Amino acid sequence: MSSPLQVRKAVIPAAGLGTRFLPATKSVPKEMLPVIDRPAIQIVVEEAVAAGIDDILIITSPYKKVLEDHFDRAFELEARLAAKGKTAEVDALRAIGEQAQIHFVRQGEPMGLGHAVSMARRHVGDDPFAVMLPDDIMVDGGVLLRGMIASLQDTGASVVALKEFPFSEISAYGCAAHEPATAGSPLVKITGLVEKPKAEQAPSNLAVMGRYVFTPAIFEHLAQIRPGVGGEIQLTDAMDRLLRADGMSGFVFSEGRYDIGQKQDFLRATVELAMEHPELGADFTQFLTDLAKQRLS
Ligand code: G1P
């Protein structure tokens, strides 16, 4: 029998409009924008699989059918590649949809992140599960998520990823009040959460990043809350209730996260991944070095 605290399921809310990347996102969902040759959503799915997750529910919206196509088989393309003997390419294409059970549900109306997550209730059932926001991509081979899952298995409490930010940037995020950290441990006990506070009202400089591991109790709190900041059902507001009832840990990390919903970070992610790319890395790094020398001279 499997342990009741195994985390096998992840929910990826991908129903946002992507207005920060217009006009590119007018007809292409932001989750399909490629970082080199993989769409962002595929990078997030691969991270989940690396952390031991094998069942993924993607919350989409009307106009995002292409996300479903990306994780489906492409018979004609596969047949054409196979006819040319390109079996490695065929295997790579099939693996996109076969690395986990991937399911979709649509959020008909944009009512906020909390509302999107609440749509996963029936699918998730009574098990703990991860929530992964696809604007945040992690280049860490699943290390952060694995650590968060281990923490839930250890303590039984939900866990949220936290990262230090300057106070001037905190108003873009959920923000955590917490007890003092213990030296050498990434975990802090969270005592309160507030969505997008003004710098002067922020309880700390630790911001909520888009990785969460929840007990299913989060759904009861999501069902209770009213619209919050921006008139939306906020996940952070339900988390604030959950932590007061059952406790919650923060998992503080610093490396490997890119907010690809922002142009600057999208470029950083692309450049850094290109520099580490097994085929492109050496030439691309040389190109950047030469370019920088030329521009700075
Ligand atoms: C969402 C959450 C926020 C969190 C952020 C992380 O905000 O509501 O608490 O800090 O993701 O990226 P959004 O970026 O969707 O406005």
Side-chain angles (χ1 to χ4, degrees), residues 113 133 136 172-174 195-196 208-210 212 234 236 257:
L113 178 60
L133 306 190
D136 286 334
Y173 300 104
E195 179 69 5
K196 302 196 169 85
V208 171
M209 299 290 96
Y212 314 78
Q234 294 290 353
T236 304
R257 177 247 182 198

Side-chain angles (χ1 to χ4, degrees), residues 5-10 51-54 128-130 149 152-153 213:
L5 289 182
Q6 278 206 331
V7 180
R8 310 292 296 271
K9 292 181 181 170
I53 281 164
D54 60 11
F129 67 106
I149 290 172
L152 177 129
Q153 286 167 334
V213 183

Side-chain angles (χ1 to χ4, degrees), residues 53-177:
I53 281 164
D54 60 11
D55 181 305
I56 295 169
L57 178 68
I58 303 180
I59 317 279
T60 65
S61 60
Y63 323 114
K64 293 210 175 181
K65 206 180 154 299
V66 67
L67 286 179
E68 295 173 43
D69 294 341
H70 186 69
F71 291 97
D72 201 352
R73 292 283 298 274
F75 286 113
E76 199 179 320
L77 182 56
E78 285 175 22
R80 281 172 189 249
L81 289 170
K84 290 184 183 161
K86 299 194 167 186
T87 45
E89 285 82 347
V90 174
D91 290 347
L93 281 184
R94 284 203 190 161
I96 297 170
E98 289 177 354
Q99 58 189 316
Q101 289 277 333
I102 301 178
H103 311 268
F104 295 88
V105 64
R106 282 193 186 182
Q107 185 188 25
E109 219 185 317
M111 289 169 66
L113 178 60
H115 177 254
V117 172
S118 71
M119 297 200 63
R121 185 172 197 165
R122 183 179 285 244
H123 183 86
V124 165
D126 296 328
D127 297 320
F129 67 106
V131 171
M132 307 170 77
L133 306 190
D135 268 358
D136 286 334
I137 62 167
M138 290 299 305
V139 182
D140 72 342
V143 167
L144 171 69
L145 193 59
R146 265 204 302 280
M148 293 171 67
I149 290 172
S151 166
L152 177 129
Q153 286 167 334
D154 206 28
T155 66
S158 299
V159 195
V160 57
L162 298 174
K163 186 173 184 291
E164 258 184 44
F165 275 83
F167 275 98
S168 57
E169 293 175 32
I170 283 283
S171 66
Y173 300 104
C175 178

Side-chain angles (χ1 to χ4, degrees), residues 2-295:
S2 63
S3 134
L5 289 182
Q6 278 206 331
V7 180
R8 310 292 296 271
K9 292 181 181 170
V11 175
I12 304 181
L17 289 174
T19 48
R20 286 185 291 186
F21 266 89
L22 283 168
T25 48
K26 186 179 172 200
S27 61
V28 176
K30 64 175 172 170
E31 297 81 9
M32 288 302 293
L33 295 181
V35 180
I36 308 179
D37 52 6
R38 286 179 300 164
I41 188 87
Q42 185 181 328
I43 298 175
V44 177
V45 166
E46 288 173 1
E47 177 198 341
V49 170
I53 281 164
D54 60 11
D55 181 305
I56 295 169
L57 178 68
I58 303 180
I59 317 279
T60 65
S61 60
Y63 323 114
K64 293 210 175 181
K65 206 180 154 299
V66 67
L67 286 179
E68 295 173 43
D69 294 341
H70 186 69
F71 291 97
D72 201 352
R73 292 283 298 274
F75 286 113
E76 199 179 320
L77 182 56
E78 285 175 22
R80 281 172 189 249
L81 289 170
K84 290 184 183 161
K86 299 194 167 186
T87 45
E89 285 82 347
V90 174
D91 290 347
L93 281 184
R94 284 203 190 161
I96 297 170
E98 289 177 354
Q99 58 189 316
Q101 289 277 333
I102 301 178
H103 311 268
F104 295 88
V105 64
R106 282 193 186 182
Q107 185 188 25
E109 219 185 317
M111 289 169 66
L113 178 60
H115 177 254
V117 172
S118 71
M119 297 200 63
R121 185 172 197 165
R122 183 179 285 244
H123 183 86
V124 165
D126 296 328
D127 297 320
F129 67 106
V131 171
M132 307 170 77
L133 306 190
D135 268 358
D136 286 334
I137 62 167
M138 290 299 305
V139 182
D140 72 342
V143 167
L144 171 69
L145 193 59
R146 265 204 302 280
M148 293 171 67
I149 290 172
S151 166
L152 177 129
Q153 286 167 334
D154 206 28
T155 66
S158 299
V159 195
V160 57
L162 298 174
K163 186 173 184 291
E164 258 184 44
F165 275 83
F167 275 98
S168 57
E169 293 175 32
I170 283 283
S171 66
Y173 300 104
C175 178
H178 59 92
E179 289 187 354
T182 315
S185 168
L187 295 172
V188 291
K189 184 174 163 44
I190 300 185
T191 54
L193 282 167
V194 47
E195 179 69 5
K196 302 196 169 85
K198 293 197 174 103
E200 56 278 15
Q201 282 154 6
S204 79
N205 63 347
L206 284 181
V208 171
M209 299 290 96
R211 295 294 178 274
Y212 314 78
V213 183
F214 289 123
T215 64
I218 189 69
F219 292 119
E220 282 145 45
H221 298 288
L222 279 168
Q224 298 292 327
I225 55 167
R226 297 172 175 283
V229 174
E232 297 187 339
I233 302 287
Q234 294 290 353
L235 180 60
T236 304
D237 294 345
M239 290 165 66
D240 188 62
R241 289 176 53 114
L242 174 65
L243 75 91
R244 286 168 208 282
D246 299 344
M248 186 177 293
S249 306
F251 195 108
V252 183
F253 76 103
S254 55
E255 299 297 323
R257 177 247 182 198
Y258 300 93
D259 176 1
I260 57 160
Q262 288 193 37
K263 289 173 192 160
Q264 182 79 16
D265 245 24
F266 186 92
L267 289 172
R268 276 184 49 223
T270 303
V271 169
E272 290 193 32
L273 283 171
M275 290 173 81
E276 288 161 17
H277 194 281
E279 285 151 33
L280 311 173
D283 282 354
F284 186 69
T285 306
Q286 189 61 53
F287 158 76
L288 277 182
T289 315
D290 294 346
L291 183 70
K293 272 191 203 143
Q294 208 185 75
R295 295 290 158 98

